């Protein structure tokens, strides 16, 4: 038995080494070092079915140390995933290949998330484990009860985000989260102890984890650890003492085998060392058969699950597919109408909460939360119920002061399915979440960020709390929708678009301060076009004011004043530049017009030339904000009706 | 004695409560809760001299929980810092006041760093503690031997960056770092245990810390803990069990007193509760005298230190002032000349290392490092020596896989003085450092980021490792210089400018791949103007190509090809848009010219309209990158000489 496992592990090792050799780039150290652990886990324990890679109740596997991608690709091939063939392994790291340098979600069935940036995987896995518990609480263990397995390296554990993940996973008691730590004492720069003397077992125990310390090359210990972990009432860390590059005779145990091909000579020596008398990419039939059998282990379980899932009906199928219920936004549309009728003047963060009061009861999949700012971000609703250890029947997560974990866990929840996550913090602190937000954009998943206190309107808390460059910094990020609505109607529209764009994360930048109701009709979701004329006579305009969020009302006021002076201007509300950019050129021209253009936004001016050109003007911020009452700050930084009026007159000179 | 201390502590409490009441905003909970700890520390132990607030060998104090700013302002006033008067407290949080909502470095002598974004303070403090050890190793304990004290809240300890800080501080044995944890079990959303069940003492012990658990309202325990911490051979966490808002009769112990004024009624009741029969902002003479005496405690120590420091001569004075040694860049200038003579073709990351080989030996204050990518970022030189626990006589730090801590610790090192820090990682992972980079920009300190692998030129590692939006995302950040040099000469110029701009952090975005030498002369630092014509006949140009970094050579090649076809174009190299924007308008016009403009950068197009206008063209990236050989990626994404030539011809149609 052990010799079979050893052969199976070696088949991973050689596929990895050969593919990396062929592509002349890649990371052999981890696939070789963790091949034994992977073999035990994937041949005996993990629940998956290569024929149904998207099986909702499969165990999730996150290769947090994403550079070891060849480990995962080898496994998927060996287990018999139809989506991957030997040629894909031979094309490792080539342009257009499914087998990218790091595992890319969506490129290949069986990749549960994109990894590479360290620490993200372990944290998103915590999100998956939480999603599993929430869905189980809602729909029953019969259709949702699985483990989430993680392979993490020293890098993942050194990244700060991992502490956020493990402390929250411990607090929430996510006992079906099982992390294998590739404890090889090697990082790129040398041995780990040079940079980290932390007692990791003790650290995880402090966070309420079950810990197991094993020899990562001992099959019996690996199996026993998994079985113990599966029964634990706490999340489990299995510290696997391994030799990086195990099998490579001269390079194993050193950083030399971490991130570069072993070299033809070393691979040849490794073949000798491990008695592997097969050509590159050749897996002997009997070993492949063992793997393919392992891949078929759970076919019956899948069939049984399918029957149970079918019994749950369409509601369950839609929920796990992320389909929004029919008529989910009926109340939301009514809210817009009421807001117009009553001229509701609230902060857009409050408007967002009003929206959530209509959305959350109608979309049970929504799970909200905030990073300890619920009362400021206004993320709670009348039907919000916070999940806690042992009670996952809720729809709100108290993430604590852990913005980064919040964002990364939301990625995991969205990837898991059955959950549509949103989370709030101050806009300025979105900086802490940025690596996870980038991954959401890259993976194309529906995660919604509720980012309040979106400008110098923050006031007295001062420049550390006042976003200035953030809008521009997200507008330049691909596949992320940045909304900055101006009133209740636009806020509701932003929520609609954020929820409907299932392959794009969205952020809502929301004001702290009250804003007047500007929209006169809600018949059409005008924010869907990104920008539109909200006031003024487009034909006869002598200038166009382009504004977002809190500055739209300021532009409208300036327009009214100019009109009294006989100067007709149009005001464009531009809640989402990305959607505007996606419109046909003639629509864009029609909205922006030929007259001089002036942008107004209480943020960095950077990027507005795209709309106003070199001859236009931009009223915005040149530096950081300051501490003081918000209205005084607007005056101090010259973002006022007077300045806008003045700028228009200057343009017309 | 205890009653004196209690009165002193209450003077902090009422100044804080009254100032917050007057400003109608602020955070009373922490100043009230930590007043006792602060009183013992500041009246008996901390080494400072209000008359010499910049005393190099003072103990550093970092209020990591920066929202408790009134604690610090009260202390500075009570101790007699001339820079702060009672009126400043009365102006708390008003526009232009020194007493901003959160402590702002540079606004008031005695503020050792800007805090507010949680977790930054404790981490920068670790940097200060490391700087102290390095300077002590270099110049002797007689002129540098002090403690670094931190007040941290639950938020600071939940932020992931804190784990990076404590694990590295433990590994490096920074035993003069003493952290007081305001263990009040309250965060904004409620009690801490709702979101965090971590055993903090155990967690710190796992990282190699000394831990002490005390009643934060017991003067004897506080004093004993400080004395024990001062003698520890490990960094120390003093867990101070406190009551948030101590003294406020109905709101203490709850999140209600965290972030809002107590209200007139509660403050009145608190006066009664604590027998404080004084008017708002009134500190009775005898209590003020106790404080002022405490402020004078170290006057003799300062004088003695001054004599010792003077004995070290001008070199020490210059070192702690951050002055660059005369002629420091002589060799660097020679490197440029040699590179031109030899047409050195190297990656700019390699060019950066060549620069460092000339810089590091000539500026002993430089301390480099990387986040486990030394061999990729090329941050080591022949004279680099890595510091380690017990041996701080070095100039390189192995930060481990902790980008965020690296950036925040560099902030602390720069703030400490005697050190000019630089640190490297992959450009794409600068996302992890962003909150600390923002603070560096806000504080205006000299921190240098060596960010290599700056585009799709990364190649096979794929989109998780390929920065696309990063250049734009930093160009919009105020007070940060973003350099993307095109060859050895520009890389050397960028290093010169980064080092000479002592009040601005700088980042160097450097290529993985080799780039040809383009500059024909190094007589003048042309990068100082941000952008300049590197090729072509400005007078007769029919188009202007604007490029940065690796794309400058591509633009130059396109220019050569167009020239053969009789089309004269000029090429502008734009290594630093921020410096270009700071030039006089006529210089900018002279460089950019009136002919059509085309920007070329292997990055998000966002922001380039600023230079090319609405009629220009931008050759860049629209989405994320991909995994594949770098040259194929350039072709695939259409960033080629052909495309540039084509774009010029289109413009001329």
């Amino acid at each position: 038995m052990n010799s079979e496992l050893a052969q199976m592990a070696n088949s991973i090792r050689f596929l990895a080494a050969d593919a990396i050799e062929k592509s002349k780039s890649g990371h052999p150290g981890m696939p070789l070092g963790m091949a034994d652990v992977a073999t035990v886990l994937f041949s005996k324990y993990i629940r998956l079915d290569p024929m149904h890679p998207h099986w909702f109740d499969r165990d999730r596997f996150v290769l947090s140390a994403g550079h070891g991608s060849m480990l995962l690709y080898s496994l998927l091939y060996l287990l018999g995933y139809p989506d991957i063939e030997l040629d894909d392994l031979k094309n490792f790291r080539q342009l257009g290949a499914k087998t990218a340098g790091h595992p890319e979600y969506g490129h290949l069935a069986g990749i549960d998330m994109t990894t590479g940036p360290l620490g993200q995987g372990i944290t998103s896995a915590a999100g998956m484990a939480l999603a599993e518990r929430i869905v189980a609480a809602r729909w029953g263990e019969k259709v949702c009860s699985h483990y989430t397995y993680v392979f993490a390296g020293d890098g993942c554990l050194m990244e700060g985000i991992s502490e956020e993940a493990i402390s929250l996973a411990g607090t929430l008691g996510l006992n079906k989260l099982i992390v294998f730590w590739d404890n090889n004492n090697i990082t790129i720069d040398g041995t780990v102890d040079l940079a980290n003397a932390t007692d990791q077992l003790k650290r995880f125990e402090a966070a309420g984890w079950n810990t197991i310390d094993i020899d990562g090359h001992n099959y019996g210990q690996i199996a026993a650890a998994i079985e113990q972990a599966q029964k634990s009432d706490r999340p489990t860390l299995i510290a696997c003492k391994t030799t990086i590059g195990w099998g490579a005779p001269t390079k194993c145990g050193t950083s030399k085998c971490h991130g570069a091909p072993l070299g033809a000579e070393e691979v040849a020596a490794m073949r000798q060392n491990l008695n592997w008398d097969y050509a590159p990419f050749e897996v002997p039939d009997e070993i492949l058969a063992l793997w393919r059998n392992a891949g078929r282990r759970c076919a019956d379980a899948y069939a049984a699950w399918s029957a149970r899932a079918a019994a749950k009906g369409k509601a369950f199928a839609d929920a796990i597919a992320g389909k929004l219920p029919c008529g989910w936004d009926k109340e939301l549309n009514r809210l817009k109408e009421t807001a117009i009728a009553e001229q509701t003047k609230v902060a857009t963060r409050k408007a967002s909460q009003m929206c959530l009061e209509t959305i959350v009861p109608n979309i049970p999949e929504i799970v909200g939360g905030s990073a300890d700012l619920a009362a400021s971000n206004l993320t709670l609703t009348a039907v919000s119920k916070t999940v806690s250890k042992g009670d996952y029947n809720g729809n709100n997560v108290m993430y604590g002061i852990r913005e980064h974990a919040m964002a990364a866990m939301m990625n995991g929840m969205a990837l898991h399915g059955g959950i549509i996550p949103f989370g709030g913090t101050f806009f300025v602190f979105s900086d802490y979440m940025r690596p996870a937000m980038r991954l959401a954009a890259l993976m194309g998943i529906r995660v919604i960020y509720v980012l309040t206190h979106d400008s110098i309107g923050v006031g007295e808390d001062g420049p550390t709390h006042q976003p200035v460059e953030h809008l521009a910094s997200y507008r330049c990020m691909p596949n992320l929708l940045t909304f900055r609505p101006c009133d209740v109607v636009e806020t509701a529209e932003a929520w609609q678009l954020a929820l409907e764009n299932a392959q794009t994360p969205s952020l809502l930048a929301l004001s702290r301060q009250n804003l007047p109701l500007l929209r006169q009709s809600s018949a059409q979701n005008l924010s869907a076009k990104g920008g539109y004329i909200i006031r003024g006579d487009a034909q006869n305009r002598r200038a166009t004011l382009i504004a977002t969020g809190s500055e739209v009302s300021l532009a409208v006021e300036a327009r009214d004043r100019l009109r009294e002076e006989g100067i007709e201007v149009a005001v464009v509300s531009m809640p989402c530049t990305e959607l505007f950019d996606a419109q046909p050129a003639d629509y864009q021209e029609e909205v922006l017009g030929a007259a001089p253009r002036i942008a107004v936004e209480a943020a960095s001016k950077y990027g507005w030339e795209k709309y106003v050109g070199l001859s236009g003007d931009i009223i915005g911020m040149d530096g950081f904000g300051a501490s003081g009452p918000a209205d005084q700050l607007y005056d101090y930084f010259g973002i006022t009706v007077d300045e806008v009026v003045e700028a228009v007159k200057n343009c017309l000179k």
Side-chain angles (χ1 to χ4, degrees), chain A:
Chain A
M1 183 64 196
N2 272 3
S3 81
E4 274 184 5
L5 290 171
Q7 292 288 75
M8 291 169 82
N10 285 344
S11 65
I12 296 175
R13 290 192 171 99
F14 283 97
L15 286 177
D18 291 335
I20 291 164
E21 213 54 33
K22 182 161 190 299
S23 81
K24 299 193 186 70
S25 96
H27 299 74
M30 193 274 212
L32 271 55
M34 286 293 280
D36 295 314
V37 176
T39 298
V40 175
L41 177 65
F42 278 81
S43 68
K44 293 170 176 252
Y45 294 100
I46 202 166
R47 183 167 67 199
L48 50 76
D49 181 350
M51 295 302 134
H52 302 95
H54 303 296
W55 179 7
F56 182 75
D57 201 26
R58 72 190 182 281
D59 287 341
R60 300 301 189 276
F61 177 73
V62 177
L63 188 73
S64 194
H67 49 272
S69 56
M70 268 312 303
L71 176 78
L72 181 57
Y73 301 147
S74 301
L75 283 165
L76 296 179
Y77 165 71
L78 291 166
L79 288 162
Y81 279 73
D83 203 16
I84 183 168
E85 297 174 13
L86 212 46
D87 274 349
D88 294 308
L89 299 184
K90 292 178 183 168
N91 269 325
F92 179 51
R93 291 186 157 232
Q94 301 312 300
L95 186 56
K98 294 171 179 176
T99 47
H102 292 76
E104 302 286 342
Y105 176 71
H107 284 214
L108 190 58
I111 297 175
D112 282 338
M113 83 171 276
T114 296
T115 49
L118 298 178
Q120 298 294 327
I122 184 173
T123 313
S124 293
M128 293 177 186
L130 176 57
E132 187 264 352
R133 286 294 82 200
I134 293 173
V135 175
R138 199 167 289 170
W139 293 96
E141 302 252 344
K142 291 198 172 171
V143 289
C144 187
S145 176
H146 64 80
Y147 295 100
T148 301
Y149 296 104
V150 180
F151 277 17
D154 285 296
C156 292
L157 300 198
M158 273 196 253
E159 290 287 357
I161 189 175
S162 69
E163 179 65 19
E164 299 185 15
I166 70 171
S167 62
L168 194 47
T171 302
L172 292 173
L174 302 176
N175 65 316
K176 301 178 83 176
L177 176 62
I178 300 175
V179 175
F180 297 86
W181 165 36
D182 181 15
N183 178 17
N184 60 26
N185 196 33
I186 292 292
T187 66
I188 293 174
D189 282 354
T191 57
V192 169
D193 48 297
L194 292 170
N196 198 13
T198 298
D199 179 339
Q200 296 288 9
L201 295 187
K202 191 167 177 179
R203 174 190 166 205
F204 276 75
E205 285 157 17
W209 283 52
N210 170 38
T211 63
I212 310 173
D213 199 6
I214 63 164
D215 173 355
H217 302 297
N218 181 311
Y219 300 119
Q221 288 187 25
I222 298 165
I226 296 171
E227 289 179 21
Q228 204 246 70
Q230 289 183 339
K231 290 178 209 130
S232 173
D233 61 351
R234 288 169 290 159
T236 296
L237 175 76
I238 304 177
C240 309
K241 189 74 216 151
T242 61
T243 300
I244 189 170
W246 191 93
T250 74
K251 293 190 173 175
C252 76
T254 74
S255 55
K256 280 179 204 156
C257 64
H258 165 83
L262 295 171
E265 203 177 323
E266 181 83 359
V267 175
M270 180 170 137
R271 282 194 145 73
Q272 231 170 0
N273 188 30
L274 301 181
N275 294 312
W276 191 263
D277 299 324
Y278 313 106
F281 299 103
E282 183 189 345
V283 181
D285 289 346
E286 64 276 19
I287 299 176
L288 191 59
L290 291 170
W291 271 116
R292 293 287 155 98
N293 278 335
R296 283 186 285 267
R297 272 191 308 119
C298 305
D300 291 347
Y302 172 77
W305 177 86
S306 293
R308 295 196 299 274
K312 293 278 179 189
K314 187 173 176 301
F316 179 64
D318 285 352
I320 66 176
K323 275 192 201 160
L324 303 178
C326 204
W328 70 272
D329 56 359
K330 228 166 106 177
E331 282 181 60
L332 190 59
N333 286 328
R334 208 172 303 136
L335 168 69
K336 296 181 204 167
E337 288 165 25
T338 311
I340 293 174
E342 299 181 352
Q343 290 291 295
T344 309
K345 182 180 176 173
V346 293
T348 48
R349 62 179 168 136
K350 179 66 188 169
S352 167
Q353 190 181 41
M354 291 159 62
C355 294
L356 287 170
E357 293 285 8
T358 78
I359 295 169
V360 178
N362 286 303
I363 309 179
E365 286 66 49
I366 289 196
V367 173
S370 90
D372 198 48
L373 285 170
S376 296
N377 305 144
L378 300 175
T379 45
L380 291 171
T381 68
V383 299
S384 294
K385 178 171 177 280
T386 299
V387 298
S388 61
K389 183 171 180 167
D391 181 4
Y392 306 101
N393 189 15
N395 57 4
N396 182 66
V397 183
M398 288 182 66
Y399 289 100
I401 298 134
R402 304 182 183 93
E403 299 85 5
H404 202 175
M406 176 172 72
M409 287 178 67
M410 289 199 292
N411 286 351
M413 295 164 86
L415 288 164
H416 180 276
I419 304 278
I420 301 172
F422 78 84
T425 184
F426 287 152
F427 192 19
V428 79
F429 298 141
S430 63
D431 281 348
Y432 282 83
M433 315 198 292
R434 198 170 170 96
M437 294 171 77
R438 184 176 208 263
L439 269 189
L442 180 57
M443 292 190 281
I445 55 176
R446 179 169 47 188
V447 173
I448 303 171
Y449 312 100
V450 175
L451 303 173
T452 71
H453 298 63
D454 70 349
S455 72
I456 50 169
V458 163
E460 291 86 349
D461 274 341
T464 53
H465 285 54
Q466 290 164 359
V468 168
E469 70 280 22
H470 297 71
L471 286 166
S473 87
Y474 291 113
R475 287 176 182 147
C476 60
M477 188 183 283
N479 196 39
L480 171 70
L481 295 177
T482 305
F483 292 98
R484 189 167 186 249
C486 73
D487 67 1
V488 178
V489 177
E490 278 196 1
T491 306
E493 291 177 340
W495 267 111
Q496 286 175 311
L497 294 163
L499 285 162
E500 283 162 2
N501 279 279
Q503 260 137 55
T504 311
S506 297
L507 79 76
L508 278 63
L510 303 169
S511 75
R512 177 195 186 197
Q513 69 274 31
N514 285 347
L515 302 178
L517 201 286
L518 295 174
R519 278 284 285 280
Q520 290 154 337
S521 157
S522 63
Q524 202 193 338
N525 185 328
L526 296 174
S527 300
K529 297 199 165 179
Y532 60 92
I533 296 175
I534 193 166
R535 285 289 187 286
D537 175 356
Q539 302 314 316
N540 299 309
R541 63 179 138 179
R542 294 175 58 197
T544 301
L545 297 172
I546 311 167
T548 78
S550 43
E551 286 69 67
V552 179
S553 62
L554 200 146
V556 167
E557 224 178 297
R559 177 251 177 183
D560 292 345
R561 203 187 299 167
L562 285 159
R563 211 176 182 202
E564 286 168 17
E565 300 183 32
I567 304 171
E568 185 66 38
V569 307
V571 178
V572 172
S573 180
M574 183 83 90
C576 182
T577 57
E578 296 93 335
L579 289 176
F580 185 74
D581 293 347
Q583 301 308 309
D586 57 351
Y587 175 78
Q588 295 185 20
E589 279 307 313
E590 185 191 313
V591 169
L592 297 176
R597 302 168 185 170
I598 298 163
V600 194
E601 189 172 65
S604 166
K605 297 172 180 174
Y606 192 84
W608 277 107
E609 288 87 355
K610 182 170 192 173
Y611 306 102
V612 305
L614 298 179
S615 57
D617 199 356
I618 305 166
I619 294 172
M621 300 284 294
D622 288 310
F624 290 107
S627 173
D631 50 349
Q632 292 179 30
L633 293 178
Y634 270 89
D635 284 346
Y636 179 75
F637 290 109
I639 302 169
T640 60
V641 174
D642 284 348
E643 289 284 339
V644 178
V645 166
E646 189 70 19
V648 170
K649 289 180 179 172
N650 277 340
C651 271
L652 299 183
K653 264 176 200 162

